Amino acid sequence: MLVETDSLSKRYGAFVALQSCSFSISAGEVFGLLGPNGAGKTTLLRLLLGFLRPSSGSAQIGGWDCQRQSLAVRKLVAYLPGDVRLFRSMRGTDVLQFFSEVRRGGSYGKAAAIAEELKLDISVRVSRMSTGMRQKLALAAAFAADTPLLILDEPTANLDPSVRKTVLRLVEDARKHGRTILFSSHVLAEAEEVCDRVGIMRHGELVHMQDILELRRGHRIGARLTGPFPDPPGALRSQLALQLDNDRLTVETYSPLGPILDWLAGLPLEEIRVEPIGLRSLYERFHSAESLPT
């Protein structure tokens, strides 16, 4: 495992920012970290990078302790923070040159090529760049770094849809080259598209881990009953999650649909609808509709 945490916690007096967080990320994996503002995502990332001292528990990256050996850890990581701060007096070219020189193995040519993919004019001074342009500049510096782990905190914030697609393609390319990506995002559709697994956070706790391939096998069936509803046969009972609200039936399953649809075909139903469960539906189980991201 490239990244491992064990009961990692951070408290500020009586306030718990992160509580007993334990998980691992394999080399070459794209791992998504999901949750609303205040869920503990950024606290977790800063603990991994050694910017914060944990109240209890531990974390390792590449076998190095994130607190006691943070310098060694940061040599393995390229980090895009959620609140990007760049040298406003520099031009984009100077910023990319600086980051390529301060990190061993850095490449200005690679960074400039990524900036071009993102349709960024790097001749412009940072102080004259829009928020989206500064985000592109930071992305070019992060993706160009030759590190095994890339931590991206809200990487597509302030970007238009076409540039967001380019960023997701850069994530895929990084994975193909063996890099590991920790992808913190509010955009569920993006996480579902590029991540191998996701972790959902709520009130400082990691409350659910989900394999995306398994999620894609899940379906929800909705129908209206026109008669009595019998219990499913024993062979199907353990494969289904059933909810009956007056005459409305909802069935969720991760099993093959054939036998389930055969059983439903014999029931007094109409207005049947079959749809993938999807990441949004899973997220809704842990967060109210009021806090749903886009």
Side-chain angles (χ1 to χ4, degrees), residues 193-238:
E193 181 176 345
V194 301
C195 293
D196 300 301
R197 285 187 305 145
V198 296
I200 297 176
M201 299 194 69
R202 181 181 63 190
H203 304 312
E205 294 188 59
L206 187 60
V207 293
H208 184 76
M209 298 283 283
Q210 179 65 52
D211 182 277
I212 294 297
L213 283 179
E214 179 184 347
L215 180 68
R216 289 172 181 159
R217 291 195 291 267
H219 290 86
R220 178 188 289 111
I221 303 167
R224 188 171 70 86
L225 281 166
T226 59
F229 177 71
D231 288 336
L236 289 180
R237 193 172 298 128
S238 63

Side-chain angles (χ1 to χ4, degrees), residues 5 24 61 71 148 160 201:
T5 71
S24 60
I61 294 178
L71 290 179
D160 61 60
M201 299 194 69

Side-chain angles (χ1 to χ4, degrees), residues 93-133:
T93 50
D94 300 325
V95 172
L96 296 183
Q97 187 68 50
F98 171 81
F99 282 112
S100 66
E101 290 177 356
V102 297
R103 183 180 290 276
R104 182 180 299 175
S107 169
Y108 171 78
K110 183 178 179 181
I114 293 172
E116 185 175 355
E117 281 190 72
L118 296 169
K119 296 181 172 56
L120 174 65
D121 181 1
I122 57 177
S123 67
V124 177
R125 199 175 299 277
V126 172
S127 61
R128 295 180 177 272
M129 289 184 175
S130 67
T131 303
M133 292 174 70

Side-chain angles (χ1 to χ4, degrees), residues 223-230 244 246-249 264 266-272:
R224 188 171 70 86
L225 281 166
T226 59
F229 177 71
L244 188 59
N246 295 321
D247 64 343
R248 295 290 175 176
L249 173 67
L264 291 173
L267 301 183
L269 302 176
E270 61 181 28
E271 300 178 8
I272 294 178

Side-chain angles (χ1 to χ4, degrees), residues 8 12 19 23 27 37 41 47 64 80 94 98 112 132 144 146 164 174 184 198 216 225 233 252 258 266 269 277 289:
L8 191 64
Y12 298 94
Q19 178 66 37
F23 73 103
N37 291 334
K41 304 189 304 297
L47 286 166
W64 300 101
L80 175 77
D94 300 325
F98 171 81
D146 185 20
R164 288 185 174 199
S184 174
V198 296
R216 289 172 181 159
L225 281 166
E252 289 190 0
L269 302 176
I277 290 178

Side-chain angles (χ1 to χ4, degrees), residues 138-186:
L139 282 163
F143 275 103
D146 185 20
T147 59
L149 177 60
L150 180 57
I151 296 180
L152 304 175
D153 193 358
E154 303 296 340
T156 61
N158 307 306
L159 300 178
D160 61 60
S162 62
V163 179
R164 288 185 174 199
K165 290 182 180 179
T166 302
V167 173
L168 298 186
R169 181 168 51 77
L170 290 170
V171 170
E172 290 283 2
D173 289 344
R175 172 170 43 189
K176 289 176 182 177
H177 286 86
R179 298 183 76 179
T180 304
I181 299 96
L182 176 49
F183 187 97
S184 174
S185 179
H186 283 89

